[in-house]
Amino acid sequence: MNDDGVKQALEHLAKQGLLSVGKDGVVQLRQPKSYIWQPQEDITAYELARAVEVMFVSMMQNGDCDAAFERLPDEAKRHFEVVKP
C-alpha cells in the first residue's frame, strides 16, 4: 500500500471515530462497542423508533453505532446491552 492508500485508510478510520490520539501523540485504534438488542416488555413505539437508528446505522451511515447510541434518550438505551471490548 502506498502513502496515499495509508492516508485514505487513516482518514476513513478517523471519520468512523475508530482512532484516538493519546497525550503522547500515539495514534491508537479504538475498538467499537457492541450493542445487543434486548427490548423490555414495556417498550413504547417511540423507544422502538429511536432504537431502530442504532440497529440499522451500519447499513444507513457506514456503521458509527457508538455515536448513534449516544444520541438515544435514556428510555431507549435501556433496551440495549452494551458490550465493551
Side-chain angles (χ1 to χ4, degrees):
M1 184 181 288
N2 62 27
D3 288 343
D4 287 338
V6 172
K7 182 179 177 184
Q8 288 176 347
L10 290 173
E11 287 173 352
H12 176 74
L13 290 171
K15 287 179 186 176
Q16 296 298 314
L18 297 176
L19 291 179
S20 64
V21 180
K23 292 180 181 179
D24 55 3
V26 175
V27 176
Q28 296 179 333
L29 280 174
R30 181 185 59 77
Q31 296 295 319
K33 300 173 188 164
S34 296
Y35 301 92
I36 299 172
W37 174 241
Q38 294 183 334
Q40 307 299 308
E41 289 183 21
D42 62 343
I43 190 169
T44 65
Y46 171 75
E47 292 168 348
L48 177 60
R50 292 300 308 268
V52 165
E53 297 172 29
V54 174
M55 291 187 284
F56 294 106
V57 73
S58 62
M59 291 182 282
M60 297 184 307
Q61 298 175 353
N62 263 345
D64 192 1
C65 291
D66 292 342
F69 182 79
E70 292 305 318
R71 287 191 301 268
L72 288 178
D74 289 339
E75 61 266 20
K77 288 180 181 178
R78 70 188 182 98
H79 300 288
F80 290 92
E81 176 186 346
V82 180
V83 180
K84 296 180 182 180

